[in-house]
Amino acid sequence: QVQLVESGGGLVQPGGSLGLSCAASGHIFRLIAMGWYRQAPGKERELVATVTAGHNTDYADSVRGRFAISKDFTKKTVYLQMNSLKPEDTAIYFCNARYYDTERSWLDSWGQGTQVTVSA
């Protein structure tokens, strides 16, 4: 099976920075995209940022210009640099990978989530 291991969550003050990392392990024929989603208490899970094998990126409007996603798909890793953090960024952040497990079929895998808390 494919497992995603996340690291880098924690407590940071407003205006501060934090970096998240996620590494996938297991059988992946070819990565399609990796990204980050988040879920705050009482809210639905939402997209934060994604990056594709073709280097296309997508950001939520609320984080565009503050967060930067990067990847090293040869290592099956994705990174999220979060700058100018706001209290409303507080959430559990989940790593996601979409990948071909064969030449013709693709799957999604999710990490366990890591807590990011932005508080003064």
Side-chain angles (χ1 to χ4, degrees):
Q1 74 281 16
V2 171
Q3 295 183 348
L4 274 55
V5 179
E6 302 157 330
S7 63
L11 175 65
V12 65
Q13 294 183 352
S17 297
L18 201 63
L20 304 181
S21 297
C22 173
S25 63
H27 177 72
I28 295 176
F29 177 72
R30 182 165 63 88
L31 277 166
I32 301 169
M34 294 186 75
W36 295 91
Y37 297 72
R38 68 186 182 187
Q39 187 168 21
K43 297 184 178 180
E44 299 294 322
R45 186 177 298 188
E46 64 175 353
L47 179 146
V48 178
T50 61
V51 59
T52 70
H55 311 295
N56 296 119
T57 58
D58 189 30
Y59 293 92
D61 290 342
S62 60
V63 309
R64 187 174 293 108
R66 298 188 297 119
F67 292 8
I69 191 167
S70 59
K71 66 174 177 66
D72 184 350
F73 281 3
T74 63
K75 299 179 180 179
K76 296 182 287 187
T77 59
V78 65
Y79 181 76
L80 185 69
Q81 179 64 46
M82 303 183 292
N83 300 317
S84 302
L85 283 160
K86 305 174 180 179
E88 49 263 46
D89 295 317
T90 296
I92 302 174
Y93 284 69
F94 297 90
C95 179
N96 174 78
R98 177 166 289 186
Y99 60 97
Y100 289 102
D101 65 335
T102 70
E103 289 187 357
R104 298 189 179 277
S105 64
W106 59 266
L107 298 168
D108 277 310
S109 185
W110 292 88
Q112 75 285 356
T114 185
Q115 178 70 46
V116 172
T117 302
V118 185
S119 176

